[in-house]
Amino acid sequence: LIGGQWREANATGAFHAENPKTGEALPGEYPISDWSDVDAALDAAQRAYAELRSKSGSDIAAFLERFAERIEARSEELCALASLETALPVEPRLASGELPRTTGQLRQAAKAARTESWRMPVIDTSNNIRSYYASIGPVAVFGPNNFPFAFGSISGGDFAAAIAAGNPVIGKAHPLHPGATRVLAEEAQAAASETGMPAGTVQLLYNMSYEDGDRMAADPRLAAIAFTGSRRGGLRLKQAADAAGKPAYLEMSSVNPVVVLPGALRERADEIAGELTASCLMGTGQFCTNPGLIIVQQSDHTAEFVDAVSRKFEEAPNGVLLSRGGLEGLSAAVTSLTSAGAERLAGAEPSADPGYSYANTVLKVSGDRFLSDAEALQAEAFGNETLLVIADSQDQMQDIIRHLEGNLTGCIYSASDGSDDDAYRAVEPALRQRVGRLLNDKMPTGVAVSPAMQHGGPYPSTGHAGFTSVGIPASMLRFAMLQCYDNVRPHRLPAVLKDDNAAGAWRCVDGNWTTSDIGAAV
């Protein structure tokens, strides 16, 4: 989909999606575009951006709302197709969960675009200086394998935030679910036509070579990149973007440590083991917030907890992984962890079930062993696996936390009677600085679509700890630039910076900062 038209690709090859439950190729052939397709999409995005800059927030909101309506009209077809391509169940995962989340995000983005509070206008009357956030330019969105709708390149949170901020989007489909992405792109283009959006506001490329992806990332016609996927793929794009001085917002890798304090184990070891199992095995562990590293202190109840986790993992049915590559990657990661010293408690081998399936896996390592090779033992194993790290003391638990890389989430389970309060105060500061979202007595798998959400974190969980990919309006600021107007005549100012139009703006008058309704703006 280039410049508002579906057209034959200039292809260097083609690929098929596969059914993960059987390993069989699905009908339909999708192109791997050469550079000429990418070049044409970049040109079209530039033309679209020139027109989008004159569109109001209400115009953009109308597109996002119409797109949500059109997705809902084809929800049954979309969910069936996405399930076929990913093995994710239609119910409750896709139809009752992910698809409503997706349309809800689009409508939240529409609301933000219409109110324009996300622009955060600031007016210094004394010096006649004004600033606000405005669109940055064409954005490329690289969607992941595990959320075909809610994080997809043509429908997900990155897409919604970029469009709401006034930018055209070039979506790069994930090759695991090209059919579902095609349907979404059809509805996005139809909604754009119905609401008068410029041709090229939404574009779709199914695939391209790594070299052309690098070239696209560095191209001056592209203003920003959003990527969700592996660390290897994200860092390659980041290298190209960094060389060009371009923002690249990457969600890449996270083991999401869970710290279980001794009092919590004494109170409810089996209950926590059940919560951990449910969280780890949800979606066959293929969530970026999957708890893959569990840190517990040796105590009278540690063995009970370890046994309960192992038993529950073995008793739970093995799920289906998204792809052959996912199965191979999980198997290789488990082999690396065991080679680094982790002990197998459950699973650690492909299952006998049909399709791309791996046995639910629990590994264990001592605190001493973890600290001797912390880098290898905290590598992400994307799937239905978790590693238990047994610390011999609270001091060692703190040392283990200090050796962790950046993560999206971190959890601390504590006793309800307050007996873990001192331990919590001891471990929380180190964990707080290594995670974007800190949870207490709650597993991390769910990511609420809330303005207060931080779905991001220190490197390597993301490329920049200051931003989130979930939570409007904050997520929109990734695709905006701060623009300042110094001594510009009133009639030449953007509407939101004019004195009679700037509701919610911070104002400085004679050195005093005020705002009339900043609460409403936030």
Side-chain angles (χ1 to χ4, degrees), residues 255 257-260 293-298 365-375 377-378 387-407 426-427 430-431 434:
V255 295
V258 176
V259 178
V260 187
L293 185 72
I294 316 304
I295 306 168
V296 297
Q297 183 180 329
Q298 187 64 56
V365 69
S366 70
D368 286 340
R369 183 62 188 170
F370 181 89
L371 291 170
S372 72
D373 199 358
E375 182 177 353
L377 286 165
Q378 62 183 300
L387 172 66
L388 305 177
V389 182
I390 313 301
D392 60 22
S393 65
Q394 182 178 300
D395 286 343
Q396 188 177 70
M397 179 180 282
Q398 291 176 254
D399 200 16
I400 290 166
I401 294 170
R402 284 192 289 267
H403 280 76
L404 296 179
E405 297 179 329
N407 282 272
V427 303
L431 186 62
R434 284 160 177 78

Side-chain angles (χ1 to χ4, degrees), residues 7-30:
R7 46 167 261 193
E8 288 294 319
N10 294 315
T12 60
F15 68 96
H16 293 264
E18 292 183 342
N19 183 338
K21 292 181 179 179
T22 65
E24 296 174 344
L26 293 170
E29 190 173 75
Y30 299 90

Side-chain angles (χ1 to χ4, degrees), residues 24-53:
E24 296 174 344
L26 293 170
E29 190 173 75
Y30 299 90
I32 301 171
S33 286
D34 70 8
W35 175 251
S36 65
D37 281 350
V38 183
D39 188 48
L42 288 166
D43 275 346
Q46 283 279 291
R47 292 191 296 269
Y49 182 53
E51 293 185 48
L52 271 175
R53 294 176 69 181

Side-chain angles (χ1 to χ4, degrees), residues 411-475:
C411 312
I412 304 176
Y413 271 75
S414 54
S416 60
D417 63 4
S419 58
D420 281 329
D421 284 0
D422 287 343
Y424 184 97
R425 284 191 288 269
V427 303
E428 188 269 351
L431 186 62
R432 173 63 279 179
Q433 293 309 113
R434 284 160 177 78
V435 303
R437 175 167 54 115
L438 181 70
L439 302 95
N440 188 194
D441 300 317
K442 178 184 178 183
M443 287 294 164
T445 322
V447 181
V449 183
S450 161
M453 177 54 64
Q454 160 61 327
H455 189 56
Y459 179 85
S461 61
T462 70
H464 196 307
F467 294 92
T468 178
S469 64
V470 176
I472 291 169
S475 63

Side-chain angles (χ1 to χ4, degrees), residues 199-221:
T201 297
V202 180
Q203 300 183 87
L204 172 65
L205 300 169
Y206 289 105
N207 211 344
M208 66 189 75
S209 69
Y210 286 119
E211 292 75 19
D212 284 341
D214 294 344
R215 187 175 174 185
M216 179 187 189
D219 194 284
R221 290 168 291 181

